[in-house]
Amino acid sequence: MKRIAVMSGKGGVGKSYVAACLAIELHRRGRAVGLLDADVTGASIPHMLGVPKGPRVNADGRMAVGRSPGGIAVVSMSLLMPADDRAVIWRGPLISKAIRQLHDDTDWEDTDVIVIDMPPGTSDAALTVLQAIVPDAIIAVSTPQDLVTTISRKSQDLAAQMGVPLLGFVENMAYVDCPHCSERIELFGPGGETRLAEGGARLLARLPLVPGHAALADAGRLEDADLSGFDDLGREVQGLLL
């Protein structure tokens, strides 16, 4: 079973959205996909994919996965909470223990690739994923602003120090296409390909800001979205899985 971690140096760049869409794209390509929501204090994956709440246990007493309407296996602290707006108020060691348990104690059934939505930043929780779960590769998420790009490169540095291959960067919210005239508008300035590439990292995809995707995610129907922008990223990851 392969594991692909999606991480960012900071929050607010659409990391969870990219992780969920990557899982959907791989599922559409015929993979048996699991999605581990390791962002314990900011869990959002079940809501975006419409996974019903509630703990699940299999016949052997192990934690069982939840399933999106399309069949993606999902494991998240959010499924164990009574409501999405309830805070998980834990210190670092408890969060790290929870991440290990969500991964290790779950019966992932027929899953052959797990996409991991990592917690933002480079501290305890992220280290737990890289040291205890040991992903096969990392995809880092950024947006075009200089400051965000600089912070996102911390993901590149962390990957290098931990010896986990960085597949490359995804630049999210890179532009929006005007629905009236089709003009491409770079809301946050020109792309940061050159800055991201410093140090040898590749730019895997530039993704647009699509208001319709936000509406589908809010409604728990992200699987219904047209994810044509994820074609290149899906091919890159599919190649890694062969």
Side-chain angles (χ1 to χ4, degrees), residues 94-113:
L94 276 178
I95 292 174
S96 295
K97 182 178 179 180
I99 292 171
R100 289 195 299 270
Q101 288 182 318
L102 289 172
H103 177 267
D104 297 345
D105 296 350
T106 295
D107 177 7
W108 288 97
E109 301 176 10
D110 62 344
T111 299
D112 63 10
V113 55

Side-chain angles (χ1 to χ4, degrees), residues 21 69 74 77 86 106 134 139 179 188 191 207 211 218 221 240:
C21 289
V74 175
M77 183 60 66
R86 295 293 180 89
T106 295
V134 191
I139 294 170
F188 302 117
L207 302 176
D218 285 345
R221 297 175 44 230
L240 178 68

Side-chain angles (χ1 to χ4, degrees), residues 1-4 22 25-27 29-33 112-115 136-137 167 233-242:
M1 185 160 55
K2 297 287 189 179
R3 295 163 179 82
I4 310 296
L22 175 60
E25 176 67 19
L26 292 174
H27 186 65
R29 290 171 177 267
R31 310 298 305 211
V33 180
D112 63 10
V113 55
I114 298 176
V115 176
D136 294 278
L167 191 61
L233 183 58
R235 278 193 295 271
E236 288 278 356
V237 177
Q238 185 83 321
L240 178 68
L241 300 176
L242 296 177

Side-chain angles (χ1 to χ4, degrees), residues 60-93:
D60 298 326
R62 297 184 65 192
M63 187 184 303
V65 298
R67 292 279 178 180
S68 70
I72 295 172
V74 175
V75 174
S76 172
M77 183 60 66
S78 175
L79 296 176
L80 308 179
M81 301 296 289
D84 287 340
D85 59 358
R86 295 293 180 89
V88 177
I89 309 173
W90 290 348
R91 296 190 185 275

Side-chain angles (χ1 to χ4, degrees), residues 12-230:
V13 298
K15 168 186 56 63
S16 297
Y17 164 77
V18 171
C21 289
L22 175 60
I24 295 168
E25 176 67 19
L26 292 174
H27 186 65
R28 290 175 179 176
R29 290 171 177 267
R31 310 298 305 211
V33 180
L35 187 47
L36 171 60
D37 190 351
D39 190 357
V40 171
T41 61
S44 58
I45 294 294
H47 185 99
M48 288 193 286
L49 295 184
V51 181
K53 283 192 172 297
R56 296 163 177 81
V57 180
N58 68 9
D60 298 326
R62 297 184 65 192
M63 187 184 303
V65 298
R67 292 279 178 180
S68 70
I72 295 172
V74 175
V75 174
S76 172
M77 183 60 66
S78 175
L79 296 176
L80 308 179
M81 301 296 289
D84 287 340
D85 59 358
R86 295 293 180 89
V88 177
I89 309 173
W90 290 348
R91 296 190 185 275
L94 276 178
I95 292 174
S96 295
K97 182 178 179 180
I99 292 171
R100 289 195 299 270
Q101 288 182 318
L102 289 172
H103 177 267
D104 297 345
D105 296 350
T106 295
D107 177 7
W108 288 97
E109 301 176 10
D110 62 344
T111 299
D112 63 10
V113 55
I114 298 176
V115 176
I116 305 170
D117 178 23
M118 289 185 61
T122 57
S123 58
D124 284 0
L127 284 173
T128 295
V129 174
L130 298 187
Q131 291 180 322
I133 299 176
V134 191
D136 294 278
I138 291 171
I139 294 170
V141 181
S142 180
T143 56
Q145 302 101 304
D146 280 342
L147 178 59
V148 177
T149 300
T150 299
I151 295 174
S152 294
R153 286 195 57 201
K154 293 181 180 180
S155 303
Q156 183 177 3
D157 185 45
L158 177 63
Q161 292 195 47
M162 300 303 299
V164 180
L166 177 70
L167 191 61
F169 280 90
V170 169
E171 192 171 69
N172 192 33
M173 296 183 278
Y175 59 89
V176 63
D177 289 325
C178 175
H180 304 292
C181 67
S182 299
E183 178 186 359
R184 179 159 292 186
I185 304 168
E186 294 180 327
L187 293 171
F188 302 117
E193 296 98 323
T194 302
R195 299 187 300 277
L196 289 173
E198 293 174 4
R202 292 187 302 148
L203 183 66
L204 301 172
R206 296 189 77 225
L207 302 176
L209 178 62
V210 184
H213 288 186
L216 287 172
D218 285 345
R221 297 175 44 230
L222 189 57
E223 285 179 303
D224 295 341
D226 175 6
L227 300 180
S228 54
F230 282 81

